[in-house]
Amino acid sequence: MMFKKAVYGITTIILLCGSCQDNSKNCLEANVEIRNESLKGAILEYDSIIRNDPKYSVNISNRNYLLTIYEKQINDSVVNFSISFSIDTWLMQDEPVRVAQVSDKIVIFYPSSNYYGIIATDKKLHEKIARLYFPEEYKRLTKGKTLEESCYIDCPSLVLTFCKGRLIKKKMDITW
């Protein structure tokens, strides 16, 4: 009886370890943590809106998408976050990104400073994101080609304004 339990336990551990290694190839690891509960909630709220509202879900039906957040530092106390989504990784060629996770959602952060053409996303990270979400882009990137155009989506952003870490304003916005 003890022998069966030991074998069962060891087998379970081996299977779990094996699946972790396989999953590491198929998932992104966050390199930043979102601590603000208001921001986390807004990200999940926005995702629910674009997936469930028929006027927006048409943009993502049968497509992979990435939740994206554009950060805009207004001054030393105020920052805006514009939550939207992308159906490509075109901008990563010229802008650096950070990766966060909220619930089971991967979120791509674009920083507030404009580094266009000076600093870009690490090529390995860019390729991994493209491989997991946009296989056609991944094929182009692995052939050394650049992504020449972005897919524009006519969908609103959820804009949040924080003052000293506290949410003071939240609105859906068509332009930002």
Side-chain angles (χ1 to χ4, degrees), residues 48-64:
S48 179
I49 290 168
I50 64 166
R51 283 187 299 105
N52 297 314
D53 189 324
K55 65 184 171 190
Y56 304 129
S57 64
V58 69
N59 290 313
I60 61 168
S61 63
N62 300 322
R63 299 179 99 162
N64 283 334

Side-chain angles (χ1 to χ4, degrees), residues 26-152:
N26 296 322
C27 64
L28 289 170
E29 290 186 31
N31 57 16
V32 294
E33 176 186 1
I34 300 172
R35 292 183 179 166
N36 187 289
E37 292 302 321
S38 297
L39 182 55
K40 286 180 185 180
I43 292 166
L44 296 175
E45 175 186 357
Y46 181 82
D47 184 59
S48 179
I49 290 168
I50 64 166
R51 283 187 299 105
N52 297 314
D53 189 324
K55 65 184 171 190
Y56 304 129
S57 64
V58 69
N59 290 313
I60 61 168
S61 63
N62 300 322
R63 299 179 99 162
N64 283 334
Y65 67 95
L66 285 167
L67 292 169
T68 54
I69 299 182
Y70 298 89
E71 176 187 343
K72 187 176 186 181
Q73 190 75 37
I74 306 301
N75 58 38
D76 62 343
S77 300
V78 178
V79 64
N80 283 346
F81 292 101
S82 176
I83 305 169
S84 62
F85 67 94
S86 296
I87 55 173
D88 62 34
T89 63
W90 176 80
L91 190 56
M92 288 180 204
Q93 296 175 120
D94 292 316
E95 297 275 343
V97 298
R98 292 171 277 173
V99 179
Q101 185 165 352
V102 176
S103 191
D104 63 340
K105 303 292 180 189
I106 292 296
V107 182
I108 304 296
F109 271 85
Y110 286 92
S112 62
S113 297
N114 186 0
Y115 296 110
Y116 188 82
I118 298 170
I119 300 173
T121 302
D122 173 70
K123 285 184 187 242
K124 295 288 183 197
L125 177 60
H126 185 184
E127 286 179 2
K128 188 171 188 176
I129 293 168
R131 180 175 54 83
L132 294 172
Y133 290 89
F134 312 109
E136 291 302 314
E137 283 189 359
Y138 176 69
K139 288 177 190 173
R140 290 187 56 80
L141 292 171
T142 57
K143 292 178 182 175
K145 296 180 180 179
T146 59
L147 304 175
E148 296 174 7
E149 58 187 54
S150 177
C151 298
Y152 176 75

